[in-house]
Amino acid sequence: MILPIGNVLTPAEVDEARSELAAIRFEDGRSTAGWSAKLVKNNRQAAPGARSEALRRKLAERILANEVFAAAVRPKALTPLLFSRYEPGHAYGSHVDDALMGGLRTDVSFTLFLAAPESYEGGELVIEGTSGDERIKLPAGSLIAYPSTSLHHVAPVTAGERLAAVGWARSFIRDGGQREILFDLDRARRALFTREGKSAEFDLLSKSVANLIRMWADD
């Protein structure tokens, strides 16, 4: 499931994040790439430090607090976020994310966009699939979540600056198909509750969601 999620950050929070990142030193992004990804990765990443760590924690809290992200991803834990900067000539060639990062299995990858799409040219996140490529460039403050099993790349930036936070989630529900079923059922029961309030049908859907989680959860 490839899922765009809008308004993960407010405009004020985006501005604050950008202001913080402007004061943080960036270094060669290849320092965090695997041995093969180093060959195709060309960007800059925020250097470790107290300031970048505080921003990582703050944005991770906002991501985990988002109801759509929680329902779609069922996150058990997130890896520390990486802040990436792409300037003209930068790109990240085709690759698949590492299966383990920081001791966590990576089930869901995500990119939180921090630059307005009209402020840079190129720089689309391209998720490669058997039916074709999906090119993604979202408003600042929006997030795209997608399976970590996917081949993907970042198209070359030709003007402006692409700024984003990227991360990975270990899910309580390992299987992507099961996560999608739970997400669909959860959306259905919430829509039913909004329309009719608490009802016998709502209770049955809630029971099914809870019991499927018990059946499938990898805790």
Side-chain angles (χ1 to χ4, degrees):
M1 181 169 60
I2 300 172
L3 182 67
I5 305 173
N7 303 312
V8 174
L9 301 182
T10 66
E13 288 169 335
V14 171
D15 289 344
E16 182 181 354
R18 289 179 59 85
S19 178
E20 284 294 301
L21 290 172
I24 293 172
R25 181 175 63 85
F26 276 66
E27 58 188 15
D28 192 334
R30 287 175 293 185
S31 63
T32 58
W35 63 270
S36 60
K38 290 181 188 293
L39 302 176
V40 296
K41 186 175 186 179
N42 181 21
N43 67 5
R44 306 285 290 172
Q45 285 179 182
R51 198 162 191 168
S52 56
E53 179 57 31
L55 185 58
R56 286 186 183 98
R57 289 197 301 268
K58 184 172 185 176
L59 295 194
E61 288 173 1
R62 298 294 297 124
I63 291 167
L64 289 171
N66 184 273
E67 291 185 358
V68 178
F69 184 87
V73 176
R74 306 281 170 178
K76 181 175 184 178
L78 301 184
T79 65
L81 301 182
L82 296 177
F83 298 110
S84 62
R85 173 178 288 157
Y86 290 77
E87 297 170 343
H90 284 169
Y92 196 164
S94 182
H95 65 284
V96 65
D97 294 329
D98 288 343
L100 297 172
M101 293 190 187
L104 293 178
R105 185 185 69 237
T106 56
D107 298 315
V108 179
S109 304
F110 58 88
T111 297
L112 175 62
F113 291 83
L114 297 173
E118 64 273 13
S119 69
Y120 61 100
E121 296 178 10
E124 297 88 354
L125 172 65
V126 184
I127 300 174
E128 305 165 27
T130 55
S131 58
D133 293 345
E134 185 161 350
R135 304 177 72 87
I136 299 157
K137 190 174 182 179
L138 299 181
S142 297
L143 177 148
I144 187 74
Y146 58 97
S148 297
T149 52
S150 305
L151 279 169
H152 58 282
H153 64 272
V154 176
V157 171
T158 57
E161 178 185 88
R162 179 191 194 267
L163 194 63
V166 298
W168 297 266
R170 176 173 176 178
S171 176
F172 281 106
I173 310 298
R174 180 194 292 248
D175 184 84
Q178 293 171 348
R179 286 197 302 272
E180 186 168 0
I181 290 169
L182 289 171
F183 183 58
D184 289 345
L185 286 172
D186 196 51
R187 286 195 301 164
R189 78 186 184 101
R190 287 172 184 268
L192 182 65
F193 186 86
T194 299
R195 188 172 66 246
E196 300 180 8
K198 193 174 185 301
S199 63
E201 292 78 11
F202 170 80
D203 287 343
L204 281 174
L205 278 172
S206 297
K207 173 188 172 185
S208 296
V209 169
N211 287 336
L212 286 172
I213 292 172
R214 288 189 183 93
M215 186 184 302
W216 293 337
D218 177 14
D219 58 358

